[in-house]
Amino acid sequence: MMTGGILSKTVAFVVAVMMFAANTAGAGTDARATRLRCEYLKDPTAVDATAPRLSWIVEASGRGRRQAAYQVLVASGAKGLAADTGDLWDSGRVASAETTHVEYAGARMVPRQQCWWKVRVWDEKGEAGAWSEPARWTMGLLKMEEWQGAQWIGFDKPRETSPEKGKLNLPPARFLRKDFPVGKPVRRAMLYSSALGIHDAYINGRKVGDEYFNPGWTEYTKRVYYRAYDVTTMLKDGDNTVGAILADGWYSGSFGLRGGRDSYGKNIRFMALLVVDHADGTTAVVATDDSWKAATGPILEADFFQGETYDARVELTGWSAPGYDEANWQPVVTGGTMRVRLPDKTTIEVEPSLHAAPHEPVRIHKEHKPKSIDRPKHGMHVLDMGTNFAGFARVKVSAPAGTRIGLRFGERVNEDGTIHTENLRVLRAADTYICRGGGEETWSPQFTFHGFQYVEVTGWVGELTSDAVIGIEVTSATPEAGSFECSSAMANQLHRNITQTQRANFIDIPTDCPQRNERLGWTGDARAYVRTATYNNDVAAFFTKWLVDLADAQGPEGWYPKTAPSKHFGGDGGPAWADAGVICPWEIHTAYGDKRLLGKHYDEMAKFVAYRVEGAKNLRPPDKYHCYGDWLNMKANTPKEVIFTAYFARSAWLMAHMAEALGKTDDAAKYQDLFKRIRTVFNEDYVGTDGKVKGDTQTCYILAIMFDLVEGERLRQAGEHLVERIKARGWHLSTGFVGTPDILPALTKIGRTDVAYRLFHTDTNPSWGFPIKNGATSMWEHWDSWTPEKGFIKGMNSFSHYSFGAVGRWMFDTIGGIDAGSPGFGKIVIRPQPDDQLTYAKVSYDSIRGPIVSNWKRTGDRLTMEVTIPANTTATVYVPAADPGKVTEGGKPASQAPAVATLSPEPGFAVFTVGSGIYQFTSGLPGK
Ligand code: BGC
C-alpha cells in the first residue's frame, strides 16, 4: 500500500518540479532556488544580525542535479530587484554549492533597512537558471537610540487595588491608548512593540498580527524581545489610534511550582514605537510616553497560569479607535527597571536591553470540535475535544446579560466523568465568561492557555451544541518538517502523540508540560528530546532563541541550570540536565549545519566543561553534586556517579567535535584527550572484567554504548548485558529520562534492531504502546501515568510530557532510515531497517536542503524502496538485501542505473551513493 499522504506529497513535489521545468523551458536549466529564508525565517520583519544569513533550497528535475554557483541580489526596493539590480548587494556569480547560511556581504545594514532579495543558481552543467521568486527581510531597530525615546509605560493602580481572592490575586488586564493624526500619504508604517508581561497591540480597532503571548519569556533582567509589524494598511488619513492590552504573563503572573507571583517584578510594562514614513520622505513617530492613557476593562482577571475572567457587560467599545471618549482613563506611569539581587545580597536596578525576536511567535494551530458532550452532573457539561493539546476554548453563546459561563480544563476524566484536576496541583486552570446579553456572542481568552483534552462547562443556559464550545490549539509556529506512517496503527498513533505533545510544549520555550504549575524550560527534557524535535518541525529559530535563554541563565561558575529561563530553578542542573548546554547546540548544528550558533556559544560551553573539570576530583565525581538521576525510571536506579561520568565524557566528546567544526584544532585535540581520560576513569571505576557496568541497569549500558565509553570486547559485553537486562524485565524497558532516548538507538548500534523492534511493538506496561492501548492522545510523563489497576499516579503526573517521545528520532532514522550524513543534510544517509511486523513505512523529512523521502514496502521477501533526494545533495543509500548483487533500481541492475554508484556492501545491505532525484530500489530480503 504505497498510496496516500507521503506518496501523494512526493508526487505533488515531482509534478511541481516537472511543471516548473516545462514553464522554464528555454531558460537554460530548470534548476531554481526556492524557499528563501533569512536567519531561518520567512520574510522576517526585524532582523538584528548585521550580516544576516541567507538560505534557499535548489529544485531541479531529474537526477544528480547540483548547484555549481549562485548569485544573490539584494535591493532596497522591489522595483530595483525586479530590474535585476542589487543596489545593496550583488554577490556576482559565486562558484559554490552552498545553499545555507550564506552571509550577506553588501552595503552596511542600517536600522529598519528593507531588503528585497532573490537568487539564481547555475547547475552542474554551468547553465544559469531563472531567478527565484523575490523574498524580503527588514532590519530591526539595532540600537536603543532608534527607539526614539519610547518609554516603558504601565498602569499600576489596578494591581494595588486588586482584591485578594483567597490565595489568588489576579489583577485585571490593562488597556493603554493614544490618538494620533496622519496628515500626509503614508509610504510605510512599522509598529515595534514589546512588554514586560505579555501584550497584544491594536491599531484603529483591530489587533495587530495574529500572535499570542508576545514578547515571550526571556531572562527579562538581561533582555526582552520585540516584534515588528508592517501596519501600513491599518492606518488611515486623519485620526488614528494605537493601543495595547497588557497582562501579567511570565513576568508577574502566578507562576512556578508554588504558584507565587511577581517572578521578575510587580508592575508590568508596555513599550511601542510606531514609525510612519510618509510618501514625501518625512517620518513621524508615535512612541509610548506619559501622554498615553490607561484603563481597565472587561478582562477582570488575566493570569497566564490560572486563567482569564471576562465580563462582556463592561466592554470598552471602540477603545482602540479614534473618537473614543477617554475622559475616565487614567495617566500612565513610566519606567521599566527591575530589581536584581546580587550574590552579596545587595540589590541593583536594571533595565533590560531590547532585541528583535529571533524566533517564530505563538499562533493558533488548529481548532478542535468536541467529539462528545457528557453531563456527569446536573448543570455541568464535560466536552471531550478528542485529543490532548495546549490552548483554550472559544465560546459562542446566546444568554441573558450576566450569565456566568465557567470553563475548567483537564487532561483526563475521572470514573464518574468529571474532569481530573488532581494533576494540575495548585493550578486553577479556569476561565469565566460573563455574558453581555442580547444576542450571540463569541469569546476566547487572550492571555492564558491550558493543557487539556476535556472542558468542563458550567452555567450554560439551554442546549450545548457541538459548535458552541470548541478547542483552539496554540503553539510556537515552527514549520512542520516530518511525516511518518507505517503499517502499525500503534506506531502511527505514537507519532501523532509525539507531535501533538511537541506542539503543546513548544510555546515560546520548550517546556515540560502545559497543564500543571510548571511550564518550565527543563534542560534535561530538552536535552532528551531535541533531536526528535528537529525531525518533526523546523525548530532552528526556536532553539536559536532558547539557547540564548540557556546562555543567559548560565551561572558565573560555568554551570548550566535546571531550567531556562532559570527564575524558578537555578543552580547547576547536574548531569544530563546541565549538559543540554552542550548537547542542544550540537543537535541543532547536526540538523541545520549552523556553525555561527556553535561559535556564538562556544566560550560558554567551554566554560561549562571547565567547571566540570574543576569540580571533579581527578575527573571523578565531586563529593557533592546535584543529579536527578535517571528520572522516572521503572525501579532501576542508575548510580548517579555513572550518569555524572558518562555525561562528563559526552560533553568533552562533543566539545572536541564542535571545536573541530570551528577549525579550533588545538581545542579539538585537548577535548579529545579529556574525553579519553574520562573514559578511562569510567572503565576503571565502573566497568568490571565481565563488562558489567556499576548499577547493572539498562541505562548503564545504554550510556556506555552510545557515548563510546566501551570498546572492543567490552562493547560486545555491554551489548549482551543490555539485552539481558531487557529480557530480565520480560522484554520491557526500565529506563527514565536519561536512558529512554537512546535505548533503541543503542540496540541498533550493537546490531540488535530486532530487540529494539520488540520493545517498540510492546503494549504492556512499561512501553510506548501501553498508554496508546489505554487511549493516550499525547505522551505521558510516566510510563504508567494511568493503569487499569491503579488508576492515576498521584501528585506529579502529566499527560503531555515529551521526554519519552524521544523515541521519535529512532522512528525517523531507523524505521524510515533518514539521517544526516553531514551537519545540515548536505550529505544524507538512507538506511531503513525493516522489521517483520511492518509491511511498509512512508517517512519524509523536509530538511534545510529540501524534502527527503524514504518509503519502503515489503511483500513476502521482496523489498521495494522509493527514495527522494533533494537537488544539490548526495546520499548514501543502504538497501537491505540478502544478495547485494541482485538489487535493482528502476527495474535494471542498480549498478547500471544513472546517478547511482555502487559501494562495497555491508552485512545485510547493498550500499550506493546517489545524487538528487527519485529512485526505486528492489531487493530480496533474507529468508526466514
Ligand atoms: C519536570 C520534569 C523535570 C524534572 C526534573 C519535573 O517536575 O516536570 O520534566 O525534568 O522535574 O526533576
Side-chain angles (χ1 to χ4, degrees), residues 425 512-513 516 518 522 525 577 628 631 737 781 796 801:
R425 300 197 298 215
D512 54 340
C513 50
R516 66 168 177 243
E518 279 200 61
W522 282 100
D525 305 31
W577 269 250
Y628 284 117
W631 189 249
F737 284 20
E781 180 172 23
M796 188 190 80
H801 220 87

PDB file of all heavy atoms in Angstrom, residues 425 512-513 516 518 522 525 577 628 631 737 781 796 801, ligand 1:
ATOM      1  N   ARG A 425      -2.251  20.131  40.295  1.00  0.00           N
ATOM      2  CA  ARG A 425      -1.696  20.579  41.578  1.00  0.00           C
ATOM      3  C   ARG A 425      -2.360  21.896  41.975  1.00  0.00           C
ATOM      4  O   ARG A 425      -3.581  21.972  41.972  1.00  0.00           O
ATOM      5  CB  ARG A 425      -0.164  20.636  41.508  1.00  0.00           C
ATOM      6  CG  ARG A 425       0.414  19.255  41.182  1.00  0.00           C
ATOM      7  CD  ARG A 425       1.873  19.089  41.471  1.00  0.00           C
ATOM      8  NE  ARG A 425       2.740  19.942  40.728  1.00  0.00           N
ATOM      9  CZ  ARG A 425       3.957  19.573  40.290  1.00  0.00           C
ATOM     10  NH1 ARG A 425       4.404  18.349  40.526  1.00  0.00           N
ATOM     11  NH2 ARG A 425       4.709  20.401  39.642  1.00  0.00           N
ATOM     12  N   ASP A 512       8.206  21.442  30.080  1.00  0.00           N
ATOM     13  CA  ASP A 512       7.963  20.064  30.493  1.00  0.00           C
ATOM     14  C   ASP A 512       6.524  19.657  30.233  1.00  0.00           C
ATOM     15  O   ASP A 512       6.259  18.600  29.693  1.00  0.00           O
ATOM     16  CB  ASP A 512       8.331  19.865  31.972  1.00  0.00           C
ATOM     17  CG  ASP A 512       7.640  20.848  32.902  1.00  0.00           C
ATOM     18  OD1 ASP A 512       7.180  21.897  32.422  1.00  0.00           O
ATOM     19  OD2 ASP A 512       7.558  20.573  34.111  1.00  0.00           O
ATOM     20  N   CYS A 513       5.596  20.497  30.653  1.00  0.00           N
ATOM     21  CA  CYS A 513       4.195  20.153  30.442  1.00  0.00           C
ATOM     22  C   CYS A 513       3.357  21.425  30.513  1.00  0.00           C
ATOM     23  O   CYS A 513       3.713  22.369  31.205  1.00  0.00           O
ATOM     24  CB  CYS A 513       3.725  19.117  31.460  1.00  0.00           C
ATOM     25  SG  CYS A 513       4.119  19.513  33.172  1.00  0.00           S
ATOM     26  N   ARG A 516       0.074  21.763  34.342  1.00  0.00           N
ATOM     27  CA  ARG A 516       0.155  21.991  35.785  1.00  0.00           C
ATOM     28  C   ARG A 516       1.008  23.226  36.074  1.00  0.00           C
ATOM     29  O   ARG A 516       1.430  23.938  35.165  1.00  0.00           O
ATOM     30  CB  ARG A 516       0.715  20.755  36.491  1.00  0.00           C
ATOM     31  CG  ARG A 516       2.160  20.452  36.137  1.00  0.00           C
ATOM     32  CD  ARG A 516       2.749  19.399  37.077  1.00  0.00           C
ATOM     33  NE  ARG A 516       4.102  19.070  36.687  1.00  0.00           N
ATOM     34  CZ  ARG A 516       4.488  17.865  36.286  1.00  0.00           C
ATOM     35  NH1 ARG A 516       3.623  16.884  36.206  1.00  0.00           N
ATOM     36  NH2 ARG A 516       5.748  17.644  35.960  1.00  0.00           N
ATOM     37  N   GLU A 518       3.886  24.277  36.272  1.00  0.00           N
ATOM     38  CA  GLU A 518       5.315  24.256  35.934  1.00  0.00           C
ATOM     39  C   GLU A 518       5.550  25.035  34.643  1.00  0.00           C
ATOM     40  O   GLU A 518       5.961  26.172  34.672  1.00  0.00           O
ATOM     41  CB  GLU A 518       5.851  22.823  35.831  1.00  0.00           C
ATOM     42  CG  GLU A 518       6.157  22.255  37.198  1.00  0.00           C
ATOM     43  CD  GLU A 518       7.112  21.079  37.172  1.00  0.00           C
ATOM     44  OE1 GLU A 518       8.245  21.241  36.718  1.00  0.00           O
ATOM     45  OE2 GLU A 518       6.687  19.991  37.622  1.00  0.00           O
ATOM     46  N   TRP A 522      12.693  22.938  31.316  1.00  0.00           N
ATOM     47  CA  TRP A 522      13.592  21.944  31.919  1.00  0.00           C
ATOM     48  C   TRP A 522      14.673  21.528  30.931  1.00  0.00           C
ATOM     49  O   TRP A 522      14.372  21.018  29.843  1.00  0.00           O
ATOM     50  CB  TRP A 522      12.803  20.713  32.376  1.00  0.00           C
ATOM     51  CG  TRP A 522      12.076  20.962  33.664  1.00  0.00           C
ATOM     52  CD1 TRP A 522      10.755  21.269  33.809  1.00  0.00           C
ATOM     53  CD2 TRP A 522      12.637  20.955  34.979  1.00  0.00           C
ATOM     54  NE1 TRP A 522      10.455  21.457  35.132  1.00  0.00           N
ATOM     55  CE2 TRP A 522      11.587  21.271  35.882  1.00  0.00           C
ATOM     56  CE3 TRP A 522      13.910  20.728  35.496  1.00  0.00           C
ATOM     57  CZ2 TRP A 522      11.773  21.352  37.251  1.00  0.00           C
ATOM     58  CZ3 TRP A 522      14.098  20.810  36.860  1.00  0.00           C
ATOM     59  CH2 TRP A 522      13.032  21.119  37.724  1.00  0.00           C
ATOM     60  N   ASP A 525      14.901  17.730  29.904  1.00  0.00           N
ATOM     61  CA  ASP A 525      13.850  17.290  28.988  1.00  0.00           C
ATOM     62  C   ASP A 525      14.194  17.717  27.565  1.00  0.00           C
ATOM     63  O   ASP A 525      14.060  16.933  26.612  1.00  0.00           O
ATOM     64  CB  ASP A 525      12.492  17.880  29.391  1.00  0.00           C
ATOM     65  CG  ASP A 525      12.111  17.568  30.836  1.00  0.00           C
ATOM     66  OD1 ASP A 525      13.016  17.438  31.679  1.00  0.00           O
ATOM     67  OD2 ASP A 525      10.918  17.475  31.126  1.00  0.00           O
ATOM     68  N   TRP A 577      21.128  17.184  32.705  1.00  0.00           N
ATOM     69  CA  TRP A 577      20.300  18.396  32.645  1.00  0.00           C
ATOM     70  C   TRP A 577      21.200  19.546  32.169  1.00  0.00           C
ATOM     71  O   TRP A 577      20.982  20.113  31.106  1.00  0.00           O
ATOM     72  CB  TRP A 577      19.661  18.690  34.001  1.00  0.00           C
ATOM     73  CG  TRP A 577      18.307  18.062  34.155  1.00  0.00           C
ATOM     74  CD1 TRP A 577      17.099  18.702  34.196  1.00  0.00           C
ATOM     75  CD2 TRP A 577      18.001  16.663  34.287  1.00  0.00           C
ATOM     76  NE1 TRP A 577      16.066  17.794  34.316  1.00  0.00           N
ATOM     77  CE2 TRP A 577      16.589  16.535  34.378  1.00  0.00           C
ATOM     78  CE3 TRP A 577      18.747  15.502  34.310  1.00  0.00           C
ATOM     79  CZ2 TRP A 577      15.948  15.291  34.498  1.00  0.00           C
ATOM     80  CZ3 TRP A 577      18.112  14.269  34.426  1.00  0.00           C
ATOM     81  CH2 TRP A 577      16.738  14.173  34.520  1.00  0.00           C
ATOM     82  N   TYR A 628      19.555  14.527  39.110  1.00  0.00           N
ATOM     83  CA  TYR A 628      18.192  13.993  39.159  1.00  0.00           C
ATOM     84  C   TYR A 628      18.154  12.490  38.896  1.00  0.00           C
ATOM     85  O   TYR A 628      17.108  11.863  39.020  1.00  0.00           O
ATOM     86  CB  TYR A 628      17.308  14.686  38.117  1.00  0.00           C
ATOM     87  CG  TYR A 628      16.881  16.077  38.508  1.00  0.00           C
ATOM     88  CD1 TYR A 628      17.266  17.184  37.755  1.00  0.00           C
ATOM     89  CD2 TYR A 628      16.064  16.288  39.616  1.00  0.00           C
ATOM     90  CE1 TYR A 628      16.855  18.461  38.099  1.00  0.00           C
ATOM     91  CE2 TYR A 628      15.652  17.565  39.972  1.00  0.00           C
ATOM     92  CZ  TYR A 628      16.055  18.650  39.208  1.00  0.00           C
ATOM     93  OH  TYR A 628      15.645  19.907  39.544  1.00  0.00           O
ATOM     94  N   TRP A 631      15.657   9.958  35.816  1.00  0.00           N
ATOM     95  CA  TRP A 631      14.351  10.452  36.271  1.00  0.00           C
ATOM     96  C   TRP A 631      13.189   9.623  35.723  1.00  0.00           C
ATOM     97  O   TRP A 631      13.087   9.403  34.529  1.00  0.00           O
ATOM     98  CB  TRP A 631      14.243  11.910  35.812  1.00  0.00           C
ATOM     99  CG  TRP A 631      13.076  12.689  36.333  1.00  0.00           C
ATOM    100  CD1 TRP A 631      12.002  13.131  35.603  1.00  0.00           C
ATOM    101  CD2 TRP A 631      12.876  13.177  37.658  1.00  0.00           C
ATOM    102  NE1 TRP A 631      11.147  13.835  36.401  1.00  0.00           N
ATOM    103  CE2 TRP A 631      11.653  13.880  37.673  1.00  0.00           C
ATOM    104  CE3 TRP A 631      13.601  13.057  38.847  1.00  0.00           C
ATOM    105  CZ2 TRP A 631      11.148  14.487  38.813  1.00  0.00           C
ATOM    106  CZ3 TRP A 631      13.091  13.672  39.995  1.00  0.00           C
ATOM    107  CH2 TRP A 631      11.883  14.371  39.962  1.00  0.00           C
ATOM    108  N   PHE A 737      14.271   9.329  31.979  1.00  0.00           N
ATOM    109  CA  PHE A 737      14.576  10.399  31.021  1.00  0.00           C
ATOM    110  C   PHE A 737      16.007  10.309  30.484  1.00  0.00           C
ATOM    111  O   PHE A 737      16.311  10.864  29.445  1.00  0.00           O
ATOM    112  CB  PHE A 737      14.399  11.779  31.670  1.00  0.00           C
ATOM    113  CG  PHE A 737      12.966  12.206  31.841  1.00  0.00           C
ATOM    114  CD1 PHE A 737      11.933  11.291  31.827  1.00  0.00           C
ATOM    115  CD2 PHE A 737      12.656  13.545  32.019  1.00  0.00           C
ATOM    116  CE1 PHE A 737      10.611  11.688  31.985  1.00  0.00           C
ATOM    117  CE2 PHE A 737      11.344  13.959  32.173  1.00  0.00           C
ATOM    118  CZ  PHE A 737      10.316  13.024  32.165  1.00  0.00           C
ATOM    119  N   GLU A 781       3.857  11.487  31.065  1.00  0.00           N
ATOM    120  CA  GLU A 781       5.081  11.771  31.817  1.00  0.00           C
ATOM    121  C   GLU A 781       5.717  10.495  32.372  1.00  0.00           C
ATOM    122  O   GLU A 781       6.917  10.293  32.283  1.00  0.00           O
ATOM    123  CB  GLU A 781       4.750  12.726  32.967  1.00  0.00           C
ATOM    124  CG  GLU A 781       5.928  13.094  33.828  1.00  0.00           C
ATOM    125  CD  GLU A 781       5.582  14.196  34.817  1.00  0.00           C
ATOM    126  OE1 GLU A 781       4.384  14.360  35.131  1.00  0.00           O
ATOM    127  OE2 GLU A 781       6.505  14.909  35.258  1.00  0.00           O
ATOM    128  N   MET A 796       2.735  14.390  41.010  1.00  0.00           N
ATOM    129  CA  MET A 796       3.315  14.838  39.740  1.00  0.00           C
ATOM    130  C   MET A 796       2.944  13.865  38.620  1.00  0.00           C
ATOM    131  O   MET A 796       3.446  12.751  38.564  1.00  0.00           O
ATOM    132  CB  MET A 796       4.839  14.916  39.881  1.00  0.00           C
ATOM    133  CG  MET A 796       5.508  15.550  38.693  1.00  0.00           C
ATOM    134  SD  MET A 796       7.301  15.356  38.781  1.00  0.00           S
ATOM    135  CE  MET A 796       7.483  13.695  38.191  1.00  0.00           C
ATOM    136  N   HIS A 801       3.894  15.314  28.144  1.00  0.00           N
ATOM    137  CA  HIS A 801       5.281  15.457  28.579  1.00  0.00           C
ATOM    138  C   HIS A 801       6.132  14.768  27.514  1.00  0.00           C
ATOM    139  O   HIS A 801       5.998  13.571  27.313  1.00  0.00           O
ATOM    140  CB  HIS A 801       5.428  14.714  29.909  1.00  0.00           C
ATOM    141  CG  HIS A 801       6.276  15.397  30.907  1.00  0.00           C
ATOM    142  ND1 HIS A 801       5.785  16.324  31.779  1.00  0.00           N
ATOM    143  CD2 HIS A 801       7.577  15.277  31.194  1.00  0.00           C
ATOM    144  CE1 HIS A 801       6.762  16.744  32.573  1.00  0.00           C
ATOM    145  NE2 HIS A 801       7.869  16.134  32.227  1.00  0.00           N
TER     146      HIS A 801
HETATM  147  C1  BGC B   1       9.565  18.192  35.447  1.00  0.00           C
HETATM  148  C2  BGC B   1      10.490  17.358  34.634  1.00  0.00           C
HETATM  149  C3  BGC B   1      11.887  17.667  35.020  1.00  0.00           C
HETATM  150  C4  BGC B   1      12.002  17.239  36.438  1.00  0.00           C
HETATM  151  C5  BGC B   1      13.374  17.337  36.986  1.00  0.00           C
HETATM  152  C6  BGC B   1       9.733  17.809  36.865  1.00  0.00           C
HETATM  153  O1  BGC B   1       8.939  18.488  37.707  1.00  0.00           O
HETATM  154  O2  BGC B   1       8.260  18.079  35.010  1.00  0.00           O
HETATM  155  O3  BGC B   1      10.184  17.213  33.376  1.00  0.00           O
HETATM  156  O4  BGC B   1      12.881  17.145  34.217  1.00  0.00           O
HETATM  157  O5  BGC B   1      11.078  17.901  37.249  1.00  0.00           O
HETATM  158  O6  BGC B   1      13.443  16.732  38.155  1.00  0.00           O
END
